Amino acid sequence: EVQLVESGGGLVQPGRSLKLSCAASGFTFSNYYMAWVRQAPTKGLEWVASITNSGGSTYYRDSVKGRFTISRDNAKSTLYLQMDSLRSEDTATYYCTRGDAWGQGASVTVSS
Amino acid sequence: ETVLTQSPTTTAASPGEKVTITCRASSSISYMHWFQQKSGASPKLWIYDTSKLASGVPNRFSGSGSGTSYSLIISSIESEDGAPYYCQQKSSEPPTFGSGTKLEIK
């Protein structure tokens, strides 16, 4: 069974950092392009970042470029999202996804 | 970026009725994907590559379209179908989502 389990969410002050992890199981992680998608409270879905299966290429939405870094460790079947210089508008549930499978989400709240 | 405009924003239908949700792209795309998201749950892939049903999706659902206009159609609504539905394109970077259509069951 395909499983994606996010961790690392929480409450953080503006300007601080947080790192999300997504542990994958049930499939060959290194074969898949992966992404982070977020959803602010009561809002729609918003793509955040993607990474190719090898990790050689990464893509970001404009509002997080230079602040967020997506990475992966194929040996550990784990996806990461390093989030720096966090802003209140980054408050959301962050989902790890391979497109056809999604994690349960990690809640990130940026507030003083 | 390719902007996806969904309509309607909200719709209500009675069991047995037909519902169509439309997603228009600001530029031509190759495929459209659709997600269903029940309250408090993660999104689920519902229709992929415009017209292919994801595993477990009832065949009362269908998808169609090409170019800049795509649709998700439910031929005969059932109570379990009430949820927001989102379209998504990955044909051009960055991937984008529509703003969602909330389907309510009367």
Side-chain angles (χ1 to χ4, degrees):
Chain A
E1 179 193 3
V2 172
Q3 280 202 314
L4 297 168
V5 180
E6 299 95 338
S7 60
L11 172 64
V12 61
Q13 293 178 327
R16 304 297 291 264
S17 299
L18 207 60
K19 186 173 185 176
L20 303 181
S21 299
C22 171
S25 61
F27 65 102
T28 304
F29 181 71
S30 58
N31 286 351
Y32 287 84
Y33 181 108
M34 297 294 295
W36 289 96
V37 172
R38 68 186 179 185
Q39 186 170 35
T42 73
K43 300 296 185 182
L45 302 171
E46 183 175 80
W47 169 83
V48 174
S50 301
I51 187 168
T52 54
N53 58 331
S54 67
S57 294
T58 56
Y59 308 89
Y60 301 91
R61 71 178 299 104
D62 285 348
S63 62
V64 308
K65 276 180 188 173
R67 300 189 299 122
F68 289 14
T69 304
I70 188 172
S71 63
R72 64 193 298 161
D73 185 335
N74 285 343
K76 294 183 178 179
S77 296
T78 303
L79 179 71
Y80 302 100
L81 185 67
Q82 175 69 44
M83 302 184 291
D84 299 324
S85 303
L86 281 161
R87 305 168 181 168
S88 57
E89 55 264 37
D90 296 319
T91 294
T93 297
Y94 285 73
Y95 295 102
C96 161
T97 177
R98 72 171 200 187
D100 60 340
W102 294 60
Q104 85 287 354
S107 178
V108 173
T109 302
V110 184
S111 175
S112 55
Chain B
E1 76 177 38
T2 301
V3 176
L4 300 181
T5 303
Q6 273 187 251
S7 61
T9 302
T10 305
T11 188
S14 299
E17 290 186 346
K18 179 180 179 180
V19 167
T20 300
I21 299 170
T22 298
C23 188
R24 288 198 161 75
S26 59
S27 56
S28 183
I29 55 175
S30 303
Y31 296 104
M32 189 67 78
H33 313 290
W34 295 89
F35 294 84
Q36 182 198 66
Q37 186 177 26
K38 291 281 191 173
S39 180
S42 306
K44 285 187 178 178
L45 180 64
W46 215 243
I47 295 174
Y48 64 99
D49 293 352
T50 302
S51 59
K52 299 174 183 175
L53 301 186
S55 178
V57 174
N59 60 14
R60 60 182 178 274
F61 285 86
S62 63
S64 66
S66 64
T68 61
S69 184
Y70 294 82
S71 297
L72 179 155
I73 303 133
I74 311 170
S75 61
S76 179
I77 289 282
E78 295 195 8
S79 57
E80 66 187 25
D81 300 336
Y85 293 83
Y86 296 91
C87 55
Q88 184 206 29
Q89 69 79 27
K90 295 191 289 187
S91 299
S92 66
E93 291 290 341
T96 47
F97 289 92
S99 55
T101 294
K102 187 175 181 181
L103 172 60
E104 297 173 349
I105 309 301
K106 292 179 184 175

